[in-house]
Amino acid sequence: VSYTAEWAGRVHESQGEPMRDAEGTVTGVIGVAMDVTERRGLERELEQRRLRDQQEREIRFDTIVRSMDEGVLVVKPDGSIHFANEAAGRLLDQPVEVLLGKPAAQVRGEEEWRRFLTPLLEGAKVTRREELALHTTARLLHLRAQAETVSLPNGDPAGFVCVLTDVTDFHDMSRLKNDMIGFVSHELRRPLSALKGYALTLLQQGVEKVGPETVNEFLREINNEADRLNQLTAQFLDVAKIEAGLAIELSPQSFDVHALVRQVAATQETASGRCAIEVQCAEGVHELRADRDKLLLVLSNLLSNADKYSPQGGTVQVRVTPNHAGVGFAVADQGLGIPQEQLRYLFSAFHRVRDASREGISGTGLGLYLCRHLVEAHGGTMEVESTLGQGSTFSFTIPASAGVEARV
């Protein structure tokens, strides 16, 4: 027999055994009483410390999981969602409070989502790893999903945990890399094929047979194609410098702004002819001191984009006007326009707006990225305004300062 009692502020623990004679009759009791106050105090302190440690671990775990970029779902054996962090709500395009208690299979409508969950919901002890493509209200997301079943200590199923990692940027970069390789290969092959064709004709037929007039035409074309190759090479060298954190070297010179703009416009009209190009040069600015080749590249890129993204044609306006900061340039088209949510990404490397209306339009996603850096190298700024379905206006200013001067 044992019992615990508390009196006079102390805790006592007693144990006793009955004393029996030879016939088994109880003749008395023998017992021991101990003061266990200190021991009980230590036990309470240890229990409180254990509870505090457990609570702290739970708080730390909860904080870590809720702040993760990866989405985390805890699903109960009945298939309902027991826990979801904020990232899971964002990736699955639903508020966390809507996810909680909802059947996991009904969270998304895509067949591949249900197919991924099926073995887990059937209670199979498995680990699942797949890449899923889910359409959200903003864009198509590529998610790397990993899930593993969890069991109780007695072996009974306790559901499963699913971790979702957004690999959309990696997926897009891989696709853009392949697009860029294809585009660059095409852009290099075109002038090289022309150069080889002209050279082969001259070699096979001879200069005298071809005639001086045709030879001169060939030479002009060879010179133009060589310029194209040089421009393309310079563009990628500048991108490589920017990516390496190196400064873009400028070679300022004085030149006629009107002549530069009209040259770029004429070249673009000859190359495509899809859009009519209207040049508006204010009389307030004639001569500019800046890197002419770099500005030619900026304007060429902007005009090329205006033409590419105006599949129905229309008019492209090129405006040059003086302003309080220097010389302002603007290229406005009547083309496809750009969704508002995409505008902030436009000047990022390799970014391209993708939708059904732009299918088949080639590009590297580097043009606007390079344009912005070339303008900023001059101390200027570049901006864009756009209305989806109506067109876009890209504008930039080259300041009349720091060795870059405009004269009237």
Side-chain angles (χ1 to χ4, degrees), residues 162-269:
C162 179
V163 177
L164 304 171
T165 304
D166 187 353
V167 294
T168 306
D169 290 343
F170 175 80
H171 187 276
D172 289 348
M173 287 290 284
S174 178
R175 181 182 60 189
L176 286 169
K177 180 192 71 175
N178 294 333
D179 289 351
M180 188 184 74
I181 290 173
F183 177 78
V184 172
S185 299
H186 171 75
E187 289 297 300
L188 289 174
R189 189 181 298 114
R190 178 180 164 186
L192 287 173
S193 297
L195 290 172
K196 184 172 178 63
Y198 293 131
L200 192 61
T201 301
L202 293 174
L203 286 172
Q204 289 178 342
Q205 299 184 22
V207 174
E208 293 182 359
K209 188 175 181 180
V210 172
E213 185 175 336
T214 304
V215 168
N216 286 334
E217 182 183 344
F218 280 9
L219 291 174
R220 281 193 298 271
E221 291 300 324
I222 288 172
N223 182 66
N224 290 338
E225 296 299 335
D227 286 342
R228 278 174 51 80
L229 278 174
N230 185 57
Q231 182 178 346
L232 187 63
T233 303
Q235 178 173 332
F236 279 95
L237 285 174
D238 282 337
V239 169
K241 287 181 180 179
I242 294 168
E243 290 295 294
L246 302 176
I248 297 176
E249 297 178 4
L250 300 179
S251 300
Q253 58 179 297
S254 296
F255 59 90
D256 188 327
V257 180
H258 295 201
L260 173 67
V261 173
R262 295 186 192 284
Q263 174 192 340
V264 175
T267 301
Q268 182 59 43
E269 278 191 315

Side-chain angles (χ1 to χ4, degrees), residues 122-352:
E122 291 176 348
K125 293 184 177 181
V126 294
T127 297
R128 301 275 288 161
R129 293 183 181 89
E130 282 189 26
E131 185 169 310
L132 310 174
L134 305 181
H135 291 270
T136 68
T137 52
R139 59 173 179 162
L140 175 65
L141 287 182
H142 293 271
L143 304 180
R144 182 181 294 123
Q146 178 172 332
E148 187 167 352
T149 53
V150 180
S151 299
L152 296 173
N154 63 3
D156 291 342
F160 63 89
V161 177
C162 179
V163 177
L164 304 171
T165 304
D166 187 353
V167 294
T168 306
D169 290 343
F170 175 80
H171 187 276
D172 289 348
M173 287 290 284
S174 178
R175 181 182 60 189
L176 286 169
K177 180 192 71 175
N178 294 333
D179 289 351
M180 188 184 74
I181 290 173
F183 177 78
V184 172
S185 299
H186 171 75
E187 289 297 300
L188 289 174
R189 189 181 298 114
R190 178 180 164 186
L192 287 173
S193 297
L195 290 172
K196 184 172 178 63
Y198 293 131
L200 192 61
T201 301
L202 293 174
L203 286 172
Q204 289 178 342
Q205 299 184 22
V207 174
E208 293 182 359
K209 188 175 181 180
V210 172
E213 185 175 336
T214 304
V215 168
N216 286 334
E217 182 183 344
F218 280 9
L219 291 174
R220 281 193 298 271
E221 291 300 324
I222 288 172
N223 182 66
N224 290 338
E225 296 299 335
D227 286 342
R228 278 174 51 80
L229 278 174
N230 185 57
Q231 182 178 346
L232 187 63
T233 303
Q235 178 173 332
F236 279 95
L237 285 174
D238 282 337
V239 169
K241 287 181 180 179
I242 294 168
E243 290 295 294
L246 302 176
I248 297 176
E249 297 178 4
L250 300 179
S251 300
Q253 58 179 297
S254 296
F255 59 90
D256 188 327
V257 180
H258 295 201
L260 173 67
V261 173
R262 295 186 192 284
Q263 174 192 340
V264 175
T267 301
Q268 182 59 43
E269 278 191 315
T270 301
S272 172
R274 181 190 292 116
C275 296
I277 300 179
E278 180 181 306
V279 177
Q280 301 176 2
C281 291
E283 292 300 321
V285 175
H286 288 283
E287 192 172 278
L288 178 66
R289 180 171 175 78
D291 190 316
R292 188 182 189 279
D293 291 339
K294 295 291 192 286
L295 290 189
L296 185 145
L297 179 58
V298 171
L299 289 169
S300 295
N301 266 313
L302 294 180
L303 277 173
S304 176
N305 281 351
D307 183 85
K308 281 196 302 186
Y309 294 104
S310 299
Q312 303 303 319
T315 300
V316 174
Q317 288 188 342
V318 186
R319 300 188 291 269
V320 182
T321 55
N323 58 41
H324 67 282
V327 180
F329 297 81
V331 176
D333 63 59
Q334 300 170 327
L336 299 173
I338 303 161
Q340 289 297 309
E341 66 272 13
Q342 294 286 326
L343 292 179
R344 60 178 176 157
Y345 302 113
L346 274 188
F347 299 107
S348 302
F350 301 110
H351 179 78
R352 297 189 66 207

